[in-house]
Each structure stands twice: as C-alpha cells, then as structure tokens.
Amino acid sequence: MGSSSVFSVASASLSLHDTNIKKNLNFGTNAFRFNNDGTNTFSNFKSSRRISMAVAVNVSRFEGIPMAPPDPILGVSEAFKADTNAVKLNLGVGAYRTEELQPYVLNVVKKAENLMLERGENKEYLPIEGLAAFNKATAELLLGADNPAIKQQRVATVQGLSGTGSLRLGAALIQRYFPGAKVLISNPTWGNHKNIFNDAGVPWSEYRYYDPKTVGLDFEGMIEDIKSAPEGTFVLLHGCAHNPTGIDPTPQQWEKIADLIQQKNHIPFFDVAYQGFASGSLDEDAASVRLFVARGMEVLVAQSYSKNLGLYAERVGAINVISSSPESATRVKSQLKRLARPMYSNPPVHGARIVANIVGDPVLFGEWKAEMEMMAGRIKTVRQELYDSISSKDKSGKDWSFILKQIGMFSFTGLNKNQSDNMTNKWHIYMTKDGRISLAGLSLAKCEYLADAIIDSYHNVS
Amino acid sequence: MAIHNLLNGQFLNRSSVIGARFMSSWFRNIQPAPKDPILGVTEAFLADQSPNKVNVGVGAYRDDNGKPVVLECVREAERRIAGNQFMEYLPMGGSIHLVEESLKLAYGENSELIKDKRIAAVQALSGTGACRLFAAFQQRFHPNTQIYIPVPTWANHHNIWRDSGVPIKTFRYYHPESKGLDFSGLMDDIMNAPDGSFFLLHACAHNPTGVDPSEEQWREISSQIKAKGHFPLFDMAYQGFASGSPERDAKAIRIFLDDGHLIGLAQSYAKNMGLYGQRVGCLSVLCEDAKQAVAVKSQLQLIARPMYSNPPLHGALVVSTVLGDPELKKLWLQEVKVMADRIIGMRTTLRENLENLGSSLPWQHITNQIGMFCYSGMTPEQVDRLTSEFHIYMTRNGRISMAGLNTGNVGYVANAIYEVTKST
C-alpha cells in the first residue's frame, strides 16, 4: 500500500500541478509551491531524501472515497429549503409544527430548562447507563409505575441517543449475543432501521405490512411471514403510530401477533417513538408493549423523546430489555453498557435532566400531558380536514377513509414514486418518495391545497 | 378502554404460562460484563464511607475544594441560550458553528486549510464519539489496515477500534525506567510498521502517562511518519488544559500540518470546557481538496446516521457561543489557564512533599509529566494498598488524576504514597 501511494503520488502531484498551474499550491509550507516553469523550490531543499518523502503525504488515504447518497428523509428538508416558490410545503421530516407551521418548543421544556439554569447543576459525566432518575422515569412511563416487571426488577434500562441510538444498542446486543439471529422488519419501515441493522452487522428480512390495495394493514401477510421465520427471530414492531404508514394493528390483531410470537419463540423488539403523541394518551399508546410484557415475554423496547417532548435535538431515549429475572436483567444491562462505552462513553445529560425534571414534578407532568394531547389533537384535526377536503373534491368514488384510520405523525398516501415526484415538481410539496406525508407539517389552512395536489397526482400521473 | 380490559383478562389467564416461560431466558448466555476499569473506580469511591477518602481516579477536573467546576463562561453562555426556540434536529454533521470554531481552535484561527475548505469535519459525541466515527470510517474504507496505538493508552481506545472491527497493534511509548518517553522505541516502531499504517497519537497531555514528546521529538516523529506514508490520527482531549494555552497545546498538530501531513483529528470539550456530560467534540479529516472533503464528510455522516442520527444540540450551542464571542472566549482562556495552573501547582506540591518525606525514589517525573494525569510508577499491589489502607482511589496502572488533588489532601496522599512505596 505504502509503495504504491508513493508511486501514485508522483502522478497525483503532477495532475494537481496541471490544474493549478497559476495557483499557489499552498500546503502549509513554501516547500510545496510549484513555480510556473514547473520546478519546485523543494529541489533547493537540503536533504534530497526529504523531498521524495515529503511529496508522499500529499496523496490522501481517502482519495477514492465516493460522495454518499443524500439521506432520503433528511435530504427532503434540504431540498425544501432550496425551493424559492412561495406555496412550497414541507411534509418531509417528522418534526411537529404548529398551525402556523413553526417549530414548537413545549412550555414544560422551557420551564424545566429554566429550573435547571437556576439550580446550576454540574456537568459531570453521567454513568455509562445514563441518568438514574431518567432511567427510572422512562421505564415507568413505558410500562406503568406499578408494572410487575419493574417491581420484580426485571427491566434493564440504559439511556440511549434517542430512538436511533437505543435501537443501535439493541442491534449491537443482538449481533454480539445472538450470532446468526435475524431481525424481521416491516415492509415498509423507517428508512434508518435498515441502516442500523446493517451497520450493526445483523441480517434482516421483511414481513409484509402495508397493503396498497386497502392502504391498510396486510395482516394475513404479516402473520404468515412472522410464522415462517426461523424460531428465535427478532421481530421489530412499531409500538404505535407506525412510521411511515400510520397504520397500526387493532388490539385484537396485537393479541394474535403476540400469540404467534410466543408460539414461534420469537423475540419482540419494539420501537416506541411516539408514545403519547399518537393518541394523546401515554398509557393508550403503550398498550401494545404492555400486552407483550404482561404475557411474561422477554421484550426489547427502544424509546424516544424526540417527538412527544419535542426534544429532537437533545437525543434523549432509552433501550429497555425486559427479561425473565432480575439477575438476567443485571447481566444484560452490564453488556449494554459495554457496548455503549466504545460508542460514546456515556450519554448526554441535558435532555435526560429535562425529562426527569418534568416527569418528577406532578404539575409539570400534568402540563406535559396536556401539551401532548394538544399536539396529537392538532394532527387528528388536520387529518379530518384533509379527509373532508379530498372527499368533497374527488368525484371518482375512491375511498379516502384510510386518512382517518391512520394514526400519528405520518400518513401513507398510497401515492407511488412518480406521483410523489409530481407532488414535488408540480406542486412544491415535499415528501418522501414512498408516498409518506408528515401531517405534523400540515396546517388547516393548507389542507385544500394539499387535497388538490393529491387528487391531481393520484389521477393524472402513473 | 377495550385494550385495558383485554390486558387484565389476559394477565390473569396467562399467569401459569408466565411461570412456565420463566424457566429459561433468552439471555442466559449473557455473562456479566467486567467493571469498566476507569469509571468503576468512581463507583467504588462513592460507596466508600471513610471521611478521608480521595478520588484520584476518573479524569474530571476538581477545584481546590474538591468540587466539580462549571466554568463562568459556560454559565454565561447558558444564560444566553436559555429560551432557545430551536430544538429541531441538527444536521447529521452537527452544528456548523461548533465545527467552524473547533477547526479554528485546532488548525489555527487563520488557517489556509480552513479557507480552502479542505477539512472534512463533523460534530461528534465528545472524544469517544470522534474516535469511534474515525474507526468505523477506517474500517469501511481501509478494511485491511490496523491502528497502531501507544503503550499505554486510554483504555477505551482498545474498545473503540475493537468494536469497530479494526485490528490493533501497538507502538512503544512509555519508558518505565525513566518514567518518560521511550523515544527510540517509538521511532523504531514507526519505522518498522508497514508503509501506510494508521497511527494514533495523543496531541498533548498523554493519557494515562502525562508524558509528551518535546517539540524537537515531534518534528522527528513527523518526519519518520512522513517517510513511511503513515496516516496520523490525533486524539486531542486536553487542548488548553495541558499547558494553559490552547495554541501551545496544538503545537504537535501544527508541526504535522506544516510538514504537509493529511491528518485526522478527534477533539473533545469535556475537560477544557468542563462539558463532560454534554458530549461535545469534533472529528476532522484533512483532505487534498474541497471536493474530497465534501465526499469524506458525507461518508462520516453516513456512519453517524445509524449510530445516533444527529448529535446533541445543547453542548454544541454552549461551545459555539463561548468561542464565537470575543469576551466569552477571553474569559474561557483565563479559566482554562486557571485549571491548568492549579494542576501544575499540585504536581509541584506533590513532588516536594514526597521528597521532603525523605522518599529515596525519584519523583521528578511528577513535574516532568503534563496534563491531568501522572503515571506514578506504582504497581497494582501498591495501588491496592492505597485503596484498602488509605481510601485513595485510582486506576491500578498507577495513574493519578492530578485534578483530584488539592491543598487539603495532597499531604495525606503524599504520605500514603510514601508509605506504600517505602520498601521499593
């Protein structure tokens, strides 16, 4: 490798010279200036050994590195920002917006931050597993404070970097301790799930989930695919407000899914990114997870406070492993820590303190619940408005009621890639190419415009 | 709620099933992890009830009263950013301001390299996160390489490259007999490594030894690394904290840059800004040109996305507020000098105490070494005695975190060290 880099340097520096013939190639010393006649002041340098050696370092070890493709989700916002058209609408990334389409920092968060500022707490390292008060609060929020699993100390909780980081810890645990085990993920799912399991080195395959015919759940397909997976497969489930479709199983369907997973000896891995944000109720949105835990199953659960507390930027979340004994929970927790240490040593304190302060104060907690209901309520209202608008304008008889059946921040419109592109290119409406729109980015005022765009794209583009 | 009734009903029916399922856990093969050698020390310290206990384990700064410190410049920055209306996701590469300020600090305020946009840089989760991003990047684009790390080094370096799937080799660094640098061993190992190897260097205040090469030695190291076409990755966790001057502490990096190296650099604000818990840092990779820098940055982001999506905001806001405001930056420079000076003062005092106690052993390494840590030269058994007899907590490699010493306890610690090393 080394000798070839010296060799290739010679040609690389020549080409640099060619393209920069008038420029000073200033690499930090005079030595590298090329005069117009092509000679190098380096040739006057004392040690000839140093000359040839010196040139060697100018070739980067990363010369051949290609440009990474833009992130399909985060890239949408970037494209939106670049658009200068006045009617543009960003239904891309899933961050909540007010009716005025402004970002929203929850009042409880501001209060908690002010409290923290007044208190002037120190900024010491958290333990690897994170803030104890946060870990206690988050497990109780998820499972209910009086959940037997918590009382029996069977829950291992480690603070993680929001949903992504928590999922990654879970994935790393699977890779290390369940070699050969696969993860089943829904088709479709949040784009980053695949990246997480890929980078963690965990093989995955998909279970059917979305039925384009009904724009609803392909329950039969889902059951079949979970059934045919080899015993001991990890099944990734969205606790509520499935991303990107907005389609959740009904309570009865959850029961059947739990039956099957138990039968097949699979391990459920829940991604809970919208607790409280979907229905407005923390308990209701955690029902699926609690159902599985109540059956005595061992369960992994990744949580995020990005949406329900608006703490997107502070990266607050947790990985929970509910296992069959306190002893097992202790061991698992110790290994989760061992995975976290070489990733980031210990998690960031700021967001965790915010959560702990809010949940720990009955008044603030009450206010949080009210704000969450407000956010979820706005989304439900906007869904209703969009549905009303589309169904009154669209005379084709198509059933748009899926808009009301879906839940949470996102909706799968049923539009295909070309139709989604039309939404952007013709109507300046930014969304992901799978037909997903973020209702959090929609205002009542814009529903009519969106309705027109959807109807046009659906009927006039194939 | 229908789901609640279902839940309660099922719970009662399945209680017998629950009992049966508890017979075997999915996690029975998971062994308890060994305690982290560094962070485990603090845990043990906290559990100790003795009034004389001293924590010279983990590397977090303490003032002369043994208290954690939040810098004034940080408090002021926090007051200014309070009520911040923006809490949306940072880009995958983090805060642009944080990155800009970090590059200026490390590469020089007026660096041509910055102007020419040749540096691929992203916000990272403190020094650990920066190293991890680089290790993953190295594994992905140079899968057949190894990382050379000094002996000894911060224990977590091993974990980081190991978990990234990059084999680890070592190079000689610490010279136990002199408690200084094994310079010839170091140079030999650089020379004998295959051309184009990746070398991890501590930019200043080597952790755990406190032993840094001199300026002249750095120049020779730079030449030799250049001769071999090695890639130098700097881990700079103590800029400003070592000598009291950030410019001075960046000297090794500037020497390499002048020499034309295309370096990698992991920066941390944990110690020099006291932002331990906020996890703020920066990873940068100097490229041949702006186009390459854009490509490399895009790939670093691609590694960050499935790890944590985007980095935390708060600490980045604090750092960019402090460094971006001339008054606050001036205050920071004063405060970081105070921290460094106190530590340098403690080194002097500890050494004087030991010499005055009549220890026959040489102790000048205490003042020769620099930064937060002192490699005392004590054996694990001596360290164990310090803990069990004197309630002094430190890592078993004999590393003393000087920040844990203060005028109140330095005499006690000196005496304890004298006692356990008497028979040596």
Side-chain angles (χ1 to χ4, degrees), chain A residues 170-183 201-203 232-234 267 298 300 321 332, chain B residues 25-30:
Chain A
L173 187 77
I174 294 172
Q175 193 275 338
R176 184 169 285 183
Y177 293 103
F178 298 87
K182 271 213 300 204
V183 176
V202 178
T233 296
F234 287 80
I267 309 171
E298 291 186 309
L300 277 69
V321 179
V332 168
Chain B
S25 162
W26 279 108
F27 308 114
R28 64 183 171 279
N29 290 330
I30 296 185

Side-chain angles (χ1 to χ4, degrees), chain B residues 240-299:
Chain B
F241 198 92
S243 70
S245 154
E247 277 299 294
R248 215 166 120 197
D249 289 343
K251 190 65 192 168
I253 290 172
R254 307 291 171 82
I255 286 171
F256 273 64
L257 292 174
D258 281 348
D259 246 357
H261 288 280
L262 296 172
I263 67 169
L265 171 62
Q267 289 170 269
S268 164
Y269 291 97
K271 284 78 166 175
N272 62 8
M273 242 189 244
L275 293 173
Y276 307 94
Q278 319 297 117
R279 322 311 294 129
V280 205
C282 180
L283 171 68
S284 53
V285 177
L286 176 58
C287 302
E288 285 176 304
D289 54 43
K291 182 154 167 257
Q292 197 179 86
V294 169
V296 167
K297 179 178 167 168
S298 75
Q299 294 292 349

Side-chain angles (χ1 to χ4, degrees), chain A residues 265-326:
Chain A
N265 245 0
H266 290 332
I267 309 171
F269 189 167
F270 278 95
D271 183 353
V272 175
Y274 300 99
Q275 188 187 1
F277 195 90
S279 68
S281 155
L282 285 162
D283 289 325
E284 205 180 306
D285 289 345
S288 58
V289 174
R290 294 180 189 183
L291 187 161
F292 280 65
V293 172
R295 289 189 183 206
M297 297 168 76
E298 291 186 309
V299 185
L300 277 69
V301 186
Q303 292 170 280
S304 164
Y305 290 87
S306 290
K307 284 76 168 180
N308 61 9
L309 251 178
L311 290 177
Y312 308 93
E314 300 301 348
R315 321 310 295 131
V316 203
I319 177 73
N320 302 275
V321 179
I322 296 103
S323 69
S324 59
S325 70

Side-chain angles (χ1 to χ4, degrees), chain B residues 209-230:
Chain B
T209 68
V211 172
D212 284 350
S214 67
E215 208 174 300
E216 195 34 59
Q217 288 172 328
W218 272 123
R219 291 188 197 283
E220 291 194 51
I221 294 168
S222 173
S223 296
Q224 188 58 66
I225 286 186
K226 216 158 61 161
K228 296 287 300 183
H230 293 330

Side-chain angles (χ1 to χ4, degrees), chain A residues 229-248:
Chain A
E231 188 175 307
T233 296
F234 287 80
V235 184
L236 189 68
L237 302 160
H238 298 227
C240 64
H242 183 272
N243 178 358
T245 67
I247 298 163
D248 284 348

Side-chain angles (χ1 to χ4, degrees), chain A residues 431-449:
Chain A
M431 49 192 282
T432 45
K433 310 227 179 272
D434 50 8
R436 182 192 88 165
I437 54 172
S438 166
L439 288 150
L442 181 61
S443 59
L444 289 170
K446 292 278 203 173
C447 282
E448 233 193 282
Y449 181 73

Side-chain angles (χ1 to χ4, degrees), chain A residues 200-216:
Chain A
V202 178
W204 52 267
S205 60
E206 290 172 301
Y207 59 87
R208 280 166 283 172
Y209 193 83
Y210 172 62
D211 184 351
K213 289 195 287 313
T214 59
V215 195

